[in-house]
Amino acid sequence: MPAQLVSIEVAPDLVDQVYRALLGAISSGTLAPGERITQEDIAQRLSVSAEPVLQALRLLKKDGFVLDAPGRGVLVAPLEAEAMRKVYQVRGALDALAARLAAQQRFRIDPRLIERGRRAARGRNVEAMLDADVAFHQAIYEASGNPLIGQSADPHWRHLRRAMGAVLQAEPQRESLWDEHEAIAEAIAAGNADRAARLSEEHVSRASEALSERLAQQQARAASMTPPTKKGDKA
């Protein structure tokens, strides 16, 4: 007698679509840190039923992108500088290794990837900027010839997209990031493995520093807007 399986009521791909839509909004800043979101509101905005939203929010909570809120709904989790610094450390090591291996093969990064990134940097669509950036780095992972690099980096990129989005929202020199990308691509194509690895490490280090500076500015701004506690007020 064949085993009985419970029918699936929510299509997994729909849950994934809602998850990606919410993660994209969190990464681009459309849903800001500390913002409260409810199952009903998201379902209405995405024109889907409440169940896939509930499942997507559970996944986002597990992955650390949202937190339980007092009362109803959840809050978009804050970006924590120390946690992201550690993620960038891992990314820096993986990117340097990938660039070194790609350079040993004198791989030529498709110049259309760089042009796509420059075009996005001149616009205002943060999500397009993030997609272009990720595509460039994934091209280097693939060029390395070692699939374990991309597999190791992949779990961190969801958090990296959010960190990059926070910086790109206010980064006055977005296009200069693509000057750095182009320099890395040129070193790889020239077969200069040491230079490609060094430029990759420096690129990631600057990104980490930019995020730390951005978060420090946000904290300072939040502190300046907090009214001072009056004498006699309860803490």
Side-chain angles (χ1 to χ4, degrees):
M1 180 177 179
Q4 296 295 314
L5 298 177
V6 178
S7 62
I8 298 175
E9 298 180 356
V10 179
D13 60 337
L14 183 56
V15 174
D16 184 63
Q17 288 177 50
V18 175
Y19 177 96
R20 291 179 181 277
L22 290 173
L23 182 56
I26 292 171
S27 298
S28 66
T30 303
L31 292 174
E35 184 171 345
R36 182 188 293 269
I37 53 180
T38 65
Q39 179 181 343
E40 297 79 9
D41 178 52
I42 296 301
Q44 183 177 15
R45 290 163 68 177
L46 295 179
S47 299
V48 297
S49 64
E51 185 60 25
V53 176
L54 176 62
Q55 298 298 330
L57 288 175
R58 286 175 177 169
L59 292 173
L60 287 166
K61 179 181 174 183
K62 179 178 72 69
D63 292 340
F65 292 104
V66 299
L67 307 169
D68 285 328
R72 297 173 62 252
V74 296
L75 299 176
V76 177
L79 267 172
E80 297 184 359
E82 180 59 21
M84 289 311 307
R85 184 183 67 82
K86 293 175 180 177
V87 173
Y88 269 110
Q89 285 178 336
V90 173
R91 179 193 158 185
L94 291 172
D95 279 18
L97 175 60
R100 181 178 295 279
L101 293 175
Q104 290 173 1
Q105 302 178 57
R106 294 180 177 268
F107 186 86
R108 294 190 176 276
I109 303 293
D110 188 341
R112 290 176 295 184
L113 287 176
I114 296 174
E115 179 53 35
R116 171 189 172 189
R118 291 194 184 279
R119 218 170 29 245
R122 292 191 289 267
R124 294 186 177 182
N125 188 331
V126 175
E127 194 72 9
M129 298 179 203
L130 293 172
D131 288 343
D133 200 305
V134 173
F136 175 81
H137 289 289
Q138 287 182 336
I140 298 178
Y141 295 160
E142 292 173 8
S144 73
N146 185 338
L148 293 178
I149 296 176
Q151 292 171 19
S152 299
D154 184 64
H156 304 297
W157 268 101
R158 285 170 290 180
H159 291 278
L160 286 167
R161 281 181 68 97
R162 188 183 180 198
M164 290 157 55
V167 173
L168 290 172
Q169 289 167 40
E171 176 58 54
Q173 296 178 326
R174 293 168 177 164
E175 198 161 351
S176 68
L177 299 175
W178 286 93
D179 293 336
E180 295 177 16
H181 286 159
E182 189 165 16
I184 293 169
E186 289 173 351
I188 290 173
N192 192 332
D194 289 341
R195 177 173 169 77
R198 177 174 57 79
L199 290 176
S200 293
E201 287 181 331
E202 291 174 352
H203 175 68
V204 173
S205 178
R206 276 191 288 269
S208 181
E209 291 170 3
L211 175 64
S212 296
E213 183 178 344
R214 170 75 169 154
L215 294 179
Q217 291 172 349
Q218 290 178 343
Q219 291 173 354
R221 186 160 54 249
S224 68
M225 296 173 63
T226 302
T229 303
K230 296 180 180 179
K231 189 175 182 179
D233 287 351
K234 292 184 178 180

